[in-house]
C-alpha cells in the first residue's frame, strides 16, 4: 500500500526544532568562537546521537562476521536483518529488495556491470545532463559494449529537466532510463513519476538516483513503481553507506559478478565480501530517528511508515519557510545570481539546495570566507559535472552551494545572509 494512504490525515506539521537540534551533538560546535552552521547537508548530513551510539554499541558488544555459530555472530545476523527491514520500511519495499553497499556510486557501478551483461550494440540508455556523475559515468561506461547513450538536456533558465527532450530520446531501443530524483547542485526536483511511466511505456527499466532527494522528501518505491532506486544513508542523517532498492524480479533475474560462496538468494547474491556492520547498525538507528521525529509531530500516527511520512510533512513545511527567506535574501545581494528555480510559486519543484555565483568573487573565496565565520558551504561542481560544463561555470570554479536540511534554522539563514552581505561588501 502506498505510504501516503497509511498516514493519518490528522497529521500535524510541526517540527520540534529544539528537540531535533538536541539530537545532533555536532551542531553544538563553534568555529573561532562562532556557532558552526552546517550548510553542507548535500555533501553529507550530521547524525543524531543514537546513530553514534548504535555504531559504538555494535563495535563494543557484537563485533563479528556473519553466519557464525556463536552469540555475537548471530546478533550481527539479526541486527542486519532488522536494519534491512527498517530501510525497507523507509522506502516502502520488502527487506529482501534492499541491497547494502559502500555508497551509491559503487552500487551503481555494480548494477551497470550486471545490466551491461545483457546489453549490446544498438541498445540505448537515456541519461540526463542534470544528474550527478554517479548516475552518468557508470552507464556511459557501457559504450564499450556498443551501447548508445542519449543524454537529456535541461532548460538553462531554471535548471529543470527538458521533459520534451526526455520523451523524444526514449524510444524502441531504450533499455534503461537513469534519472536523479533531485539535483544535488541546483536543487531541482524532477518529475520522476513521469519518467518512470515513459520508461515503462517503452519497455525500458527505470533507475532513480534518490541520494539528494532523500533528506527532503518521501521515498515510496511502490507508489513510484520504479525498477531501481538508490540512495546513500549519510545524506539522510545516517552513516556513510549506500542502499539500493531493486524490484525482486530484477534482483533475481539479473546476473551479478560475485564470488561462489555467495548464495543465489536475494539480496545475498548482490552483497559481496564483508559489509560495514557497524554502519548498518547505525542505519537502523537512523530510521528510528525518522520515526521518532514523525511521532513527535503527530503522536497519533499508528505505524512506523505513517510516522516517517509525517516526519517528511513536518520537514517540508520547515524547509519551505527557510527557502522563502533565503531566496528573497540572496536575490537582494548585489551581483548575486541563483541558478535554478527562484519563483516562490514553483518552490514545490525544488529542494532547499541553492547554488549561486556572485560577480567579482570566486566560489572558493566565498566558501573560505564563510568557513572562517563558521558557515560550512561548498564550492565547485559536486560531481554535477555535465551541469557546470553546460552552464560554463566549470572553468570559473563552479558555484557556491548552500544546502539546508531540517536541522537548520531561520536564524541561521538570517545570519548567513548577513555574513554574505558583509563579505560581498
Ligand atoms: C545526487 C547524488 N547522486 C549520487 C551521489 C554519490 O553518492 P555516493 O557518495 O554515496 O556514492 C551523490 C553524492 O553527493 C549525490 O549528491
Amino acid at each position: 500500500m502506498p505510504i501516503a494512504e497509511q498516514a493519518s490525515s490528522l497529521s500535524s506539521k510541526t517540527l520540534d526544532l529544539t528537540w531535533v537540534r538536541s539530537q545532533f551533538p555536532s551542531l553544538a560546535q563553534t568555529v573561532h568562537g562562532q556557532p558552526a552552521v552546517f550548510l553542507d547537508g548535500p555533501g553529507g548530513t550530521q547524525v543524531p546521537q543514537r546513530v553514534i551510539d548504535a555504531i559504538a554499541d555494535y563495535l563494543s558488544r557484537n563485533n563479528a562476521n556473519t553466519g557464525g555459530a556463536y552469540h555475537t555472530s548471530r546478533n550481527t545476523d539479526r541486527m542486519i536483518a532488522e536494519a534491512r527491514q527498517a530501510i525497507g520500511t523507509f522506502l516502502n519495499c520488502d527487506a529482501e529488495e534492499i541491497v547494502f553497499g559502500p555508497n551509491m556510486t559503487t552500487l551503481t557501478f555494480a548494477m551497470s556491470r550486471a545490466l551491461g551483461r545483457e546489453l549490446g550494440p544498438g541498445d540505448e540508455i537515456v541519461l540526463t545532463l542534470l544528474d550527478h556523475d554517479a548516475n552518468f559515468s557508470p552507464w556511459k561506461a557501457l559504450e564499450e559494449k556498443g551501447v548508445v547513450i542519449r543524454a537529456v538536456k535541461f532548460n538553462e533558465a531554471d535548471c529543470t529537466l527538458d521533459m520534451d527532450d526526455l520523451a523524444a530520446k526514449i524510444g524502441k531501443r531504450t533499455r534503461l532510463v537513469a534519472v536523479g530524483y533531485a539535483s544535488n547542485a541546483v536543487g531541482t526536483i524532477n518529475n520522476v513519476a513521469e519518467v518512470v511511466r515513459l520508461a515503462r511505456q517503452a519497455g525500458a527499466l527505470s533507475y532513480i538516483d534518490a541520494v539528494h532527494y532523500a533528506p527532503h522528501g518521501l521515498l515510496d518505491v511502490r507508489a513510484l513503481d520504479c525498477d531501481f532506486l538508490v540512495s546513500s544513508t549519510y545524506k539522510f542523517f545516517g552513516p556513510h553507506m549506500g542502499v539500493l532498492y531493486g524490484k525482486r524480479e530484477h534482483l533475481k533475474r539479473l546476473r551479478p559478478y560475485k564470488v561462489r560462496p555467495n548464495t543465489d538468494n536475494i539480496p545475498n547474491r548482490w552483497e559481496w565480501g564483508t559489509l560495514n556492520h557497524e554502519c548498518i547498525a547505525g542505519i537502523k538507528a537512523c530510521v528510528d530517528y525518522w520515526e521518532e521525529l514523525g511521532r513527535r509531530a503527530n503522536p497519533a500516527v499508528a505505524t512506523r511508515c505513517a510516522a516517517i511520512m509525517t516526519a517528511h510533512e513536518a520537514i517540508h513545511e520547515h524547509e519551505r519557510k527557510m527557502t522563502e527567506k533565503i531566496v528573497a535574501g540572496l536575490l537582494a545581494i548585489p551581483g548575486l545570481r541563483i541558478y535554478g528555480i527562484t519563483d516562490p510559486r514553483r518552490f514545490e519543484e525544488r529542494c532547499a539546495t541553492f547554488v549561486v555565483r556572485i560577480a567579482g568573487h570566486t566560489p572558493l573565496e566565498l566558501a573560505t570566507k564563510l568557513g572562517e565565520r563558521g558557515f560550512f558551504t561548498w564550492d565547485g561542481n559536486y560531481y554535477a559535472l555535465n551541469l557546470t560544463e553546460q552552464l560554463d561555470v566549470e572553468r570559473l570554479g563552479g558555484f557556491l552551494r548552500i544546502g539546508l536540511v531540517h536541522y537548520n534554522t531561520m536564524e541561521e539563514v538570517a545570519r548567513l545572509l548577513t555574513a554574505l552581505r558583509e563579505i560581498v561588501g
Side-chain angles (χ1 to χ4, degrees):
M1 190 197 297
I3 299 177
E5 288 170 27
Q6 299 174 48
S8 160
S9 57
L10 299 172
S11 61
S12 116
K13 291 177 177 162
T14 314
L15 189 71
D16 184 349
L17 201 49
T18 309
W19 177 81
V20 164
R21 289 187 65 87
S22 75
Q23 300 301 294
F24 291 82
S26 58
L27 300 184
Q29 290 174 81
T30 56
V31 178
H32 306 314
Q34 301 290 326
V37 182
F38 290 82
L39 304 171
D40 59 343
T45 50
Q46 301 306 301
V47 294
Q49 184 66 47
R50 75 183 72 197
V51 170
I52 301 165
D53 291 345
I55 293 171
D57 184 67
Y58 173 77
L59 290 172
S60 315
R61 300 194 303 123
N62 287 313
N63 190 9
N65 217 322
T66 52
Y70 58 96
H71 189 68
T72 50
S73 181
R74 286 191 181 125
N75 286 349
T76 297
D77 288 336
R78 192 176 317 115
M79 178 278 291
I80 293 176
E82 286 171 7
R84 208 183 289 286
Q85 187 68 53
I87 210 74
T89 304
F90 192 79
L91 299 180
N92 198 21
C93 62
D94 293 339
E96 65 177 15
E97 294 174 304
I98 294 291
V99 178
F100 287 125
N103 51 55
M104 178 278 184
T105 308
T106 308
L107 284 165
T108 301
F109 266 113
M111 199 44 79
S112 78
R113 268 196 298 267
L115 270 158
R117 292 176 100 168
E118 301 195 327
L119 302 182
D123 287 328
E124 295 181 4
I125 293 182
V126 174
L127 307 175
T128 95
L129 296 177
L130 205 53
D131 269 70
H132 187 285
D133 210 58
N135 204 25
F136 194 88
S137 288
W139 306 114
K140 192 165 163 45
L142 297 176
E143 281 179 333
E144 68 189 15
K145 299 199 67 190
V147 171
V148 175
I149 299 299
R150 310 201 71 195
V152 177
K153 293 185 287 199
F154 62 90
N155 305 304
E156 290 191 10
D158 59 3
C159 296
T160 55
L161 207 55
D162 183 337
M163 290 299 279
D164 293 336
D165 191 39
L166 183 126
K169 288 206 160 107
I170 297 177
K172 280 202 301 288
R173 315 212 66 162
T174 310
R175 301 287 169 256
L176 179 94
V177 182
V179 66
Y181 212 132
S183 159
N184 68 315
V186 288
T188 311
I189 298 171
N190 295 318
N191 185 352
V192 283
E194 177 63 3
V195 176
V196 170
R197 195 188 67 74
L198 289 169
R200 169 140 323 98
Q201 205 175 48
L205 298 173
S206 51
Y207 190 94
I208 309 299
D209 170 4
V211 173
H212 189 69
Y213 189 66
H216 304 291
L218 185 73
L219 294 174
D220 185 338
V221 294
R222 291 267 181 274
L224 200 54
D225 201 22
C226 53
D227 295 293
F228 298 94
L229 181 141
V230 68
S231 194
S232 309
T233 53
Y234 73 95
K235 308 281 187 173
F236 58 91
F237 320 110
H240 287 97
M241 285 265 310
V243 288
L244 177 137
Y245 155 79
K247 268 192 182 160
R248 181 183 287 99
E249 65 202 74
H250 303 318
L251 294 183
K252 282 191 167 159
R253 187 185 56 80
L254 289 167
R255 289 181 305 129
Y257 290 92
K258 68 177 188 66
V259 293
R260 287 173 298 164
N262 270 103
T263 67
D264 250 327
N265 297 332
I266 60 165
N268 184 253
R269 64 199 298 254
W270 293 96
E271 291 175 345
W272 323 293
T274 305
L275 291 169
N276 187 331
H277 300 165
E278 53 272 32
C279 281
I280 294 177
I283 289 179
K284 176 168 179 296
C286 163
V287 178
D288 289 343
Y289 167 74
W290 276 93
E291 179 178 356
E292 187 169 356
L293 191 64
R295 290 193 186 281
R296 281 178 173 266
N298 179 8
V301 288
T303 63
R304 186 166 165 95
C305 230
I308 291 167
M309 183 181 177
T310 306
H312 274 295
E313 287 177 0
I315 284 176
H316 184 74
E317 284 298 302
H318 176 56
E319 290 188 359
R320 165 93 197 197
K321 285 190 194 120
M322 290 194 293
T323 296
E324 280 163 17
K325 188 176 177 76
I326 200 166
V327 169
L330 287 173
L331 289 175
I333 294 175
L336 184 146
R337 172 167 173 202
I338 301 179
Y339 292 74
I341 294 168
T342 53
D343 179 350
R345 288 167 302 188
R346 296 183 56 207
F347 281 171
E348 293 302 310
E349 295 171 59
R350 67 141 48 253
C351 307
T353 305
F354 309 93
V355 290
V356 303
R357 289 188 54 86
I358 305 182
H361 302 267
T362 66
L364 175 60
E365 178 198 332
L366 292 168
T368 306
K369 288 188 176 158
L370 285 169
E372 281 158 8
R373 294 165 191 235
F375 296 94
F376 303 166
T377 59
W378 218 283
D379 68 283
N381 63 30
Y382 345 102
Y383 290 22
L385 187 57
N386 287 314
L387 176 92
T388 52
E389 283 180 348
Q390 186 174 324
L391 293 175
D392 199 25
V393 296
E394 183 59 25
R395 65 191 173 89
L396 304 171
F399 308 107
L400 175 76
R401 180 176 68 184
I402 303 158
L404 299 170
V405 293
H406 75 291
Y407 52 61
N408 292 119
T409 68
M410 295 289 265
E411 196 244 324
E412 286 180 332
V413 171
R415 287 184 36 228
L416 170 80
L417 292 169
T418 306
L420 261 181
R421 278 193 298 266
E422 281 170 13
I423 290 167
V424 174

